[in-house]
Amino acid sequence: MAPLYARYVPPKSAVASPTVNGLSSTTELPPSPRIPVTDDGRKKRKRSEAEEAERKARKEERKRAKVTQGVKHVDENEAQPGGDLPLPVDGEHSLADGTDEDVLESHNETYGDNADDGEIDAMDLDGEREEQHRSKKDMAVLSKYQKAAKRAAQVQALQDGEADEGGEPEEETELHVQSALLALLLPNPTLSNPPPNDICVSAPTGSGKTLGYVLPVVESLRSRLDTRLRACIVVPTRELVTQAKEVAAMCSAGSGLKIGVAVGHQNFVTEQETLVKKGRRYDPVEYNRLMAKAKRRFRCEEDDEDEDDEDARAGEYMQAAVRMLPDHVPTYTPAVDILICTPGRLVEHLNGTLGFHLDDLEWLIIDEADRLLDQSFQEWVAKVVGSLETKKPESRMGSREKVLKRSRQSEEHYARKVILSATMTRDISKLGALRLRRPSMIVVKGAGGADEDLQGDSEGVQTIGIDGEEAFELPAGLRDKKAQKHDFHILISTDRASRGLDLPALTHVVNYALPTSLATYVHRVGRTARAGRSGEAWTLFADNEGRWFWNEIARSKSVRRPAKVERTKVVLKRRRVILAQNDGETESLRLVDSWMAVNFRELGWEYIERTIMDTLMGLSAITVGAGTLMAIRGDIPAVFKASNLLSGYIGNSFNAVFALINTGWTILMWREARKHSLAVSAASVSIDPKLRIRLKAHAREHQFYAILNGVSVLVSSAGSLISATLWPGYVVIAPCVFTLVFSNLFWRHKLGYDRRPFQSWVDTQCFDVLARLKMLDAINRTLRISRESPISLENCMMAEEKPSSAAIVQFLQEHGLLDDFYSLLRSRYTTNAVSVTTDKASPSGAPPFVTYDHAAVMDAANSCLQKLEIRHFRDEERFLLELYGCYLCIRKEVEQTDDKRKEKIRT
Ligand SMILES: Nc1ncnc2c1ncn2[C@@H]1O[C@H](COP(=O)(O)OP(=O)(O)OP(=O)(O)O)[C@@H](O)[C@H]1O
């Protein structure tokens, strides 16, 4: 049971930066842009006055620049939701607090205002007007959001008691993996156009990878004002899609970036509409071409049997054109900038959604990569990588791209791949399928991570250690998530939730079933101890699974843990298990328990009083006999001594051993009987007072027998030891012989331990012990009063009229006499006279059906009972008294444990 703690420290500015192909170097990373946050006030860093003044001046300058570009500042009252403004899709761009402005400002401060960086100048005239129009609208929305965000931040600051005279509270913090990723992924103004390379990241669970990749993506796309699918985030499950979308929406709030999701369970057509915007364009030439093609198809002039995906899409496009207005052709424009999706759905859209393509993709992020690369999901890797590498046709290019292509600059366009996991695979064949360009492997060390194929560091891997004590500060936008309340306390889930699910408040993970692999284990336990919090993971395993778990997981060096795994043996008591059953089952299980307790007791007596006693007494007799024989040659001193030793001490020592064993057992039995007696007194079930007295008396009889037997054996064995040297020993032994004989008779006749095996007919499923005891009491009383010998069936059955054969058979069955009865019938009568059909499987529980000669049945039943005499019913009663005593005892014990457990839970 290992407590897992994840602690993180701020990033180092210089880290080893080797690549996976083994070329290692040390790169001075640019200072990582910080994630500005406004949070609860720990470690605040206020701007110096000079910085503040500079910031204000820059702000003014930007405002002026906007005005000169013709961007109108939209006042909050002026800006109407809806209308012409490109409002956020599905409320994604909500303003929770002041973060948005801070993020925007931070971005602008670090990189300058990219919106004004002259890219628009490179556009041709057609696009320019449209771009400027969009830019106006977006800037208006941005400035509206900035204002609203600023106000929200101030209100928040006031509420938190953080407001200071001059400005909003500001704080900067980031997680380790984020420091590394931001430094590597964000565009860096200090380096001159570094060629982009792909990155594989292995970082512990809960270390904040999501924000680490979402933020650079959003920052890099923030300045693009036309909507095109530029980033695609692939995750394995729809839950993770929702989670990543939340983070992306938080980061991109106010930027105008549109985020779409594609997951399997949504309606495909609806999803298509959200991803691609349909329109139409006046283009008679293209229209005529498409119509001509459609006609040829219609006349079956074109062979479309082996049409591939591309042809199918062309066919669809043609059909869409047929449904258009004359001289118009359909247009499809992307409706999202960032797509978060599962791999299967991505492939479905690539195959089946007109206008959906990855031509403009700048980022391909694959989270939980090891799992995604392990499973084929419609060969998604080949499909996606293939789509990225297919050259974009000129028809799909904008005029700017055409210009760039002509000047051969567009060859630089490349979708940067970022591959992440807590258990990152090093399998080259899997990673190779992604066709990574100059990849770097980043390993962020800390508790909770593991490398799938490799242990510890390796050559060609960039490692970032986490050893410090510094705690996290949650970015303001994520505060909602932290405070997020769930209406459940315990989540029971399959392995589906083991990956990526972020429930920050989760403190314990219980592996009820053993994880199937180390990677599964790491991801499962990674649901707790997230983002610097502490948590514990418990794994339940049975004895036969222990070795595997211990060797492969608990002691595995590839899992980084802050402490060793603790092991606790849990002994599940059967009685506790019984507690968990429903009431009906509990009763019958308790009866089984009692039945076993009676058996144990009987067998114990049998074993000790017969097997052990006989064996030891036999040995004693042999030794004493041998010693006595040796005494014939008692004139030889050595033989005399040996004879004395054998017949005296050694011979009697067997008795002593038996006495010790017997004493232990009788003490145990005395205690058990006492427990019965106490349990009867404290019984919570209603018991007839007479029966209560009988139960107590029976328990006391057991106590008496235990004392009598134990003391007699002990004293007699002591006497026999004394008698080896002193004759008064025989005086002690003599009375013991009598008490032992008496105790033996008491055992047989009063306690009934030489009775028939009643256990065999106790049906624990439908057996009412109390009712049966009552009935036996009545039978015994009737038989005692009538004092008849031999006993008659009518008296036993207490029947006023002559009992029917069926009633007789039922009575005999109830008292375990059916087998005797049948064997008597068979031995006395021919099969022609009596035919008996037993149907024990009868659902109604009816007794065996008998086709009979009534006189024969009566005769056999009477003989059967006369053979057994009244003793049979007394023995049966004693057995049931003992069974019920055990039952009450177990019940009391279970109730006490239950009370204690409830009390424990309450406290
Ligand atoms: N800078 C930060 N400061 C504090 N908390 C953060 C920060 N960034 C992210 N978090 C929080 O850390 C938690 C874990 O983040 P995230 O889900 O991205 O982890 P992960 O590395 O993807 O984990 P997994 O491998 O299990 O998917 C989230 O609750 C998130 O809100």
Side-chain angles (χ1 to χ4, degrees), residues 616-658:
L616 290 173
M617 290 299 145
L619 286 171
S620 172
I622 291 169
T623 327
V624 171
T628 313
L629 280 176
M630 281 166 77
I632 298 170
R633 293 304 311 268
D635 53 332
I636 306 166
V639 176
F640 177 77
K641 263 191 185 170
S643 144
N644 263 359
L645 213 61
L646 279 178
S647 60
Y649 293 105
I650 298 177
N652 288 325
S653 65
F654 292 110
N655 292 347
V657 171
F658 172 69

Side-chain angles (χ1 to χ4, degrees), residues 514-565:
L514 268 191
T516 47
S517 66
L518 184 63
T520 317
Y521 173 80
V522 167
H523 285 281
R524 278 192 195 179
V525 303
R527 296 316 97 211
T528 184
R530 294 175 74 75
R533 294 176 194 93
S534 63
E536 285 188 20
W538 300 347
T539 304
L540 303 178
F541 55 82
D543 281 342
N544 58 350
E545 299 162 323
R547 184 188 288 263
W548 179 82
F549 176 78
W550 212 243
N551 291 341
E552 301 294 319
I553 294 187
R555 289 204 192 115
S556 168
K557 291 208 172 74
S558 28
V559 183
R560 292 180 288 274
R561 296 183 172 89
K564 275 189 176 174
V565 179

Side-chain angles (χ1 to χ4, degrees), residues 28-52:
E28 186 76 24
L29 289 176
S32 61
R34 318 287 285 179
I35 307 166
V37 294
T38 54
D39 205 4
D40 55 17
R42 276 186 289 164
K43 294 194 198 128
K44 270 190 248 170
R45 185 178 65 76
K46 282 184 197 160
R47 288 188 178 112
S48 68
E49 277 177 23
E51 279 175 336
E52 190 62 36

Side-chain angles (χ1 to χ4, degrees), residues 175 178 206-210 368 473-475 500 502 527 530-531:
L175 305 192
Q178 292 164 3
S207 58
K209 292 189 282 296
T210 317
E368 307 296 350
E473 302 294 341
L474 194 66
D502 184 41
R527 296 316 97 211
R530 294 175 74 75

